[in-house]
Amino acid sequence: KPKTKRSKRFMESRAPKLTEDVKTAMIMKGGNTSQTITQALKDIYALKKPNAVLYKKKNITRPFEDSTSLEFFSKKTDCSLFLFGSHNKKRPNNLIFGRLFDFHVLDMIEFGIEKYVSLSEIKTSKCPEGTKPMLVFAGEAFDTDNEHRRLKSLLIDFFRGPTVSAVRLAGLEHVLHFTALDGKIYMRSYRCLLKKSGCRTPRIELEEIGPSFDLVLRRTHLASDDLYKLAHKQPKALKV
């Protein structure tokens, strides 16, 4: 039981809510990393800000072998999403996207970076920090394959940003595009430009702003169907 007003406020902030807070991601690197991984983590952090925590120190852990370290940091920072980057001879330029339920790992999907273009390499003006992106998924696998369906759900959780009741046209500025093709995921980031069209509806052009990733699927750790359903269960009060 909390003894001070400060600890009471802290406990209330962590208590279950009818409407969840925006999901926060912790972004961390393993014991061994490469320049590619270090820069990739910084770029994805830039996309997620302000709903992310970037750890600068190395964390000597292997999420697929032992997830206790991730679960500890999740509880400490109240983060339900994570991105873990590492690099070794067996799995070079490795990224693991994951999410947690009740501070225990729910899903983890591992990728290898085959090709990467950083934010700084594409010399265009960027979207403001905290811009809510539009998420576009292309490829049959996202609808037909169970692993890709989970991946789609995980990526939506990771990048969706805050839930809003209304959006103005000028606010539709950032597009994240994911394409599934031949066991690879192609991630592209665009800025939406509204041009004059001679009528009321503007003409839309997409300008690539980075980062750009060509990712190959490696290992997966997916929750059982029962646990997955439990994690997505909504309170009765929200269904009324």
Side-chain angles (χ1 to χ4, degrees), residues 4-231:
T4 64
K5 285 184 179 180
R6 186 180 177 185
S7 58
K8 186 181 178 183
R9 285 197 302 270
F10 176 79
M11 293 298 287
E12 284 173 354
S13 71
R14 294 291 180 94
K17 300 176 181 69
L18 272 179
T19 305
E20 284 187 346
D21 295 330
V22 180
K23 291 185 178 180
T24 306
M26 46 186 186
I27 298 174
M28 53 179 65
K29 53 188 178 182
N32 292 316
T33 57
S34 61
Q35 180 60 37
T36 298
I37 284 294
T38 302
Q39 191 57 49
L41 293 178
K42 286 179 181 177
D43 281 357
I44 294 174
Y45 172 63
L47 294 182
K48 275 291 292 175
K49 281 196 298 188
N51 304 308
V53 179
L54 179 65
Y55 286 87
K56 293 183 180 178
K57 289 185 179 179
K58 293 181 178 180
N59 293 277
I60 303 170
T61 184
R62 293 176 180 174
F64 276 86
E65 282 76 46
D66 182 15
S67 59
T68 51
S69 178
L70 286 173
E71 290 166 358
F72 167 77
F73 284 116
S74 166
K75 206 162 190 176
K76 187 178 178 183
T77 55
D78 197 23
C79 290
S80 56
L81 301 164
F82 70 86
L83 174 63
F84 184 85
S86 60
H87 175 78
N88 56 48
K89 195 174 181 181
K90 190 177 180 182
R91 294 186 182 88
N93 296 325
N94 206 52
L95 287 177
I96 301 172
F97 284 87
R99 55 184 165 184
L100 302 102
F101 171 62
D102 198 22
F103 305 114
H104 294 288
V105 170
L106 183 71
D107 291 328
M108 283 190 290
I109 298 180
E110 183 179 65
F111 298 98
I113 299 177
E114 281 200 339
K115 187 182 177 185
Y116 162 61
V117 182
S118 70
L119 268 169
S120 58
E121 286 178 76
I122 300 175
K123 307 294 184 185
T124 54
S125 56
K126 314 300 180 187
C127 295
E129 180 186 312
T131 301
K132 183 178 170 70
M134 293 178 281
L135 304 177
V136 181
F137 293 87
E140 283 184 22
F142 283 127
D143 299 315
T144 56
D145 179 67
N146 187 50
E147 276 192 2
H148 280 75
R149 275 200 295 261
R150 287 285 183 91
L151 170 61
K152 181 180 177 180
S153 172
L154 172 58
L155 291 172
I156 289 172
D157 251 4
F158 199 93
F159 290 108
R160 71 190 305 170
T163 303
V164 292
S165 57
V167 180
R168 65 191 180 96
L169 187 61
L172 301 173
E173 193 177 0
H174 188 201
V175 178
L176 284 178
H177 193 284
F178 301 92
T179 305
L181 186 67
D182 300 329
K184 294 181 184 178
I185 303 295
Y186 300 91
M187 175 182 163
R188 301 292 184 268
S189 176
Y190 300 100
R191 185 163 166 249
C192 200
L193 304 175
L194 303 178
K195 302 280 189 176
K196 288 182 180 178
S197 64
C199 61
R200 195 175 176 186
T201 308
R203 180 169 57 87
I204 295 170
E205 288 184 6
L206 294 180
E207 178 183 57
E208 188 166 358
I209 58 172
S212 162
F213 291 95
D214 292 0
L215 304 167
V216 60
L217 278 164
R218 286 179 178 163
R219 295 178 292 175
T220 60
H221 167 92
L222 303 178
S224 65
D225 289 341
D226 290 340
L227 181 58
Y228 186 74
K229 284 176 185 174
L230 179 65

